[in-house]
Amino acid sequence: MITRRKFTGISTLAGIGTVAGCTAPVPKTGLKSVSANDIINVGLIGCRSMGGSNLRDFIRNQDVECIALCDVDQDVLDERVKDVFEKTGKKPLVFKDYRKLLDLKEVDVVIIATPDHWHCLPFVDACKAGKDIYVEKPLANSIAECNIMLRAAKKYNRIATVGQQQRSGAEWAKIMGLVKSGTLGDVKRINCWANFDYGAGEPRVPDSAPPQSIDYDQWLGPAPFRPFNKNRVHGLWRMNWDYGGGLMTDWGVHLLDMALWAMGDTRQFPGTVVASGGIMRFPGNEIQTPDTLNVVFNYGDWVLSWEHSGGIQTGPWNRNYGVSFVGSKGTIVADRASWEMIPEGKNDKVLAEGIPLQTNKQNEHQAHVRHFLDAVKNRKQPDCTIETGHAAAVTALLGNLAYRTGEILRYDPQKQGFMDSSKANGMMAPVYRSPLVFPLLD
Ligand SMILES: NC(=O)c1ccc[n+]([C@@H]2O[C@H](COP(=O)([O-])OP(=O)(O)OC[C@H]3O[C@@H](n4cnc5c(N)ncnc54)[C@H](O)[C@@H]3O)[C@@H](O)[C@H]2O)c1
């Protein structure tokens, strides 16, 4: 008979208590599994905006308990504890050092929703600690980090997914069916775009002392030291290279992933990548990533194009973000809310039947979380595998590297390096700030 494990509240873990700061080595507990009737105990690392949204969609499932939270900002922790208590009547343990959360053998699954520069270390440590992982997109902030994370998930045989929730979208799956069945004819071009106000960053303000609630040194983590600035943390880190990749990675992974899904093999990488853009609209803002960018990824027999404009909220096909799959018989235009197919015509003849506007009524994020929980229980691959997250992140990062080097890049995925570009090869891995070191696998 299967025993139903149930988290019985904070007293179960008495003695561990509330911890701030620790240097304990990460335990290697190896493989462990969760059976179908079990409660899945979840720990959240990075509890603010998306961490909070993820947690809400996890604990709405009857078979999930949130038993631990970790954040380097006490105010964020307090708010999230309150949130969990209101929803479940239980108070999770709280930590400021994620390694202490990973020490809890009761934690089955960790959600990692830290800024992008802080995905890799907790992910690799979580693999070593035998946890299953829901890591936010983009998988990481550099190609070398993406590569080591993929290897770690495989080596430690973890069930791991990435927060690319469109992979669980029923409407997106229908679109993929139409592209793959040839309904659109030959698809040789896929366009992705994302125009968002926030891509412009915020007006520059002077550096200042960090607020008392934040352990700023831990927030920076592996990134180089820079004085605190309120317009570079909490949500606003995205437009700075040390922590994020701007709209190219922030939205790029969601949308480029749809193109890779449609074209069949998520492990394919473009033959060449070329980019052009700059900080053209908002030179006075706290921003390092381009507010205006175009990238072309050439796969030999099809082309993927990306464009973004920060500070703009309209776009092609009257959608501020989206994907158009351009075929010889018709084009599908899609975003998360709706999609349609516009038929191609020749000599007064329509080459395919159009499809009028279809509305998406599904909550893709809730579906994504549920599919991951089922994958954990069944020890099966989730909708969005680690390879899928890896391919989308590396592709988006290639776009940024093409922009930053100003070169036409040729990436060799086998050699995990660039042909003819010492500049790009030098930018594949970040230099971690001591005492943190880039994760290694034994
Ligand atoms: N899937 C999606 O649709 C989606 C949407 C938004 C954001 N995201 C992703 O979610 C992640 C978080 O984004 P956000 O907007 O919530 O950022 P945020 O800045 O609002 O929150 C990040 C939190 O992580 C905390 N943190 C920083 N370093 C930490 C550490 N070492 N240990 C524990 N906590 C730490 C910060 O204090 C903050 O509370 C990013 O990777 C982002 O790309 C995904």
Side-chain angles (χ1 to χ4, degrees):
M1 198 177 103
I2 297 164
T3 320
R4 202 173 141 84
R5 277 186 303 135
K6 185 101 178 99
F7 177 61
T8 50
I10 208 155
S11 58
T12 318
L13 307 171
I16 296 169
T18 302
V19 180
C22 123
T23 53
V26 171
K28 294 182 185 177
T29 54
L31 304 184
K32 82 203 263 261
S33 65
V34 180
S35 76
N37 291 343
D38 276 349
I39 295 290
I40 297 180
N41 286 330
V42 168
L44 170 65
I45 303 169
C47 302
R48 197 171 168 273
S49 173
M50 197 59 201
S53 303
N54 281 328
L55 193 62
R56 278 187 280 283
D57 279 350
F58 269 78
I59 59 179
R60 67 190 296 284
N61 291 281
Q62 296 297 311
D63 53 353
V64 169
E65 298 269 4
C66 169
I67 64 166
L69 299 174
C70 170
D71 203 287
V72 297
D73 186 332
Q74 188 62 46
D75 287 352
V76 174
L77 271 177
D78 291 346
E79 196 182 317
R80 203 56 60 227
V81 169
K82 191 165 153 262
D83 208 17
V84 175
F85 187 70
E86 276 169 14
K87 289 190 171 61
T88 68
K90 289 172 189 161
K91 281 193 180 173
L93 292 166
V94 291
F95 300 97
K96 286 190 173 165
D97 186 325
Y98 76 85
R99 291 168 300 184
K100 270 286 165 189
L101 183 149
L102 294 180
D103 279 349
L104 296 180
K105 65 178 185 337
E106 292 81 358
V107 169
D108 302 305
V109 161
V110 289
I111 306 166
I112 300 173
T114 44
D116 302 352
H117 73 291
W118 249 128
H119 287 184
C120 182
L121 273 174
F123 182 97
V124 174
D125 286 343
C127 289
K128 291 179 179 172
K131 312 299 184 195
D132 294 322
I133 306 156
Y134 186 107
V135 62
E136 262 311 333
K137 49 52 56 176
L139 185 59
N141 200 31
S142 69
I143 294 177
E145 290 174 308
C146 290
N147 290 343
I148 197 90
M149 291 164 80
L150 176 63
R151 279 184 52 215
K154 296 277 150 212
K155 179 179 163 102
Y156 293 95
N157 204 14
R158 304 324 309 155
I159 304 296
T161 197
V162 184
Q164 289 165 213
Q165 59 269 22
Q166 288 173 206
R167 277 277 167 170
S168 299
E171 294 300 319
W172 290 107
K174 279 185 208 162
I175 293 169
M176 298 310 148
L178 290 167
V179 177
K180 288 179 185 184
S181 64
T183 308
L184 300 186
D186 275 350
V187 175
K188 294 294 175 197
R189 159 187 293 283
I190 300 181
N191 301 309
C192 303
W193 66 95
N195 299 337
F196 285 94
D197 267 343
Y198 78 86
E202 295 289 314
R204 230 170 253 149
V205 296
D207 295 340
S208 62
Q212 282 220 317
S213 70
I214 303 183
D215 183 337
Y216 180 57
D217 189 58
Q218 284 304 307
W219 189 94
L220 283 172
F225 178 79
R226 260 180 111 180
F228 179 86
N229 190 294
K230 77 178 181 64
N231 285 347
R232 287 197 293 265
V233 295
H234 284 3
L236 303 174
W237 45 266
R238 285 172 166 75
M239 267 53 75
N240 288 271
W241 295 122
D242 288 336
Y243 326 124
L247 286 172
M248 175 76 255
T249 54
D250 208 41
W251 266 89
V253 288
H254 286 304
L255 303 174
L256 300 177
D257 185 30
M258 296 301 100
L260 299 181
W261 188 4
M263 298 313 269
D265 182 357
T266 56
R267 276 159 301 171
Q268 66 178 327
F269 291 95
T272 59
V273 187
V274 62
S276 187
I279 302 175
M280 295 174 172
R281 288 177 189 274
F282 300 97
N285 278 8
E286 188 61 53
I287 181 172
Q288 292 177 329
T289 56
D291 56 30
T292 307
L293 184 69
N294 283 62
V295 184
V296 178
F297 304 86
N298 190 323
Y299 289 82
D301 60 351
W302 67 285
V303 159
L304 171 58
S305 124
W306 169 262
E307 67 172 68
H308 76 235
S309 293
I312 299 283
Q313 288 275 135
T314 55
W317 302 96
N318 207 15
R319 296 166 194 258
N320 69 316
Y321 72 92
V323 187
S324 64
F325 305 83
V326 183
S328 51
K329 294 186 186 168
T331 290
I332 287 181
V333 185
D335 62 25
R336 288 176 180 172
S338 65
W339 64 277
E340 65 186 309
M341 178 178 152
I342 298 122
E344 195 62 39
K346 216 172 223 165
N347 304 331
D348 294 336
K349 214 177 129 212
V350 176
L351 300 183
E353 236 179 86
I355 300 175
L357 198 71
Q358 308 289 302
T359 318
N360 179 16
K361 297 186 180 72
Q362 181 200 26
N363 184 321
E364 291 170 353
H365 192 265
Q366 288 176 3
H368 200 54
V369 169
R370 186 63 246 173
H371 288 167
F372 169 68
L373 293 170
D374 291 339
V376 167
K377 291 193 160 184
N378 301 321
R379 312 314 292 165
K380 294 256 170 62
Q381 285 303 312
D383 282 351
C384 178
T385 61
I386 192 76
E387 285 87 355
T388 299
H390 176 270
V394 170
T395 306
L397 289 162
L398 286 174
N400 272 342
L401 283 181
Y403 164 72
R404 294 176 80 181
T405 57
E407 296 176 8
I408 299 174
L409 294 183
R410 291 173 191 82
Y411 179 64
D412 182 341
Q414 258 67 51
K415 294 193 179 133
Q416 297 192 347
F418 291 90
M419 298 178 250
D420 331 316
S421 178
S422 52
K423 243 188 196 173
N425 281 325
M427 296 170 85
M428 281 192 47
V431 178
Y432 276 23
R433 187 170 58 105
S434 176
L436 296 175
V437 286
F438 192 89
L440 293 172
L441 301 182
D442 314 325

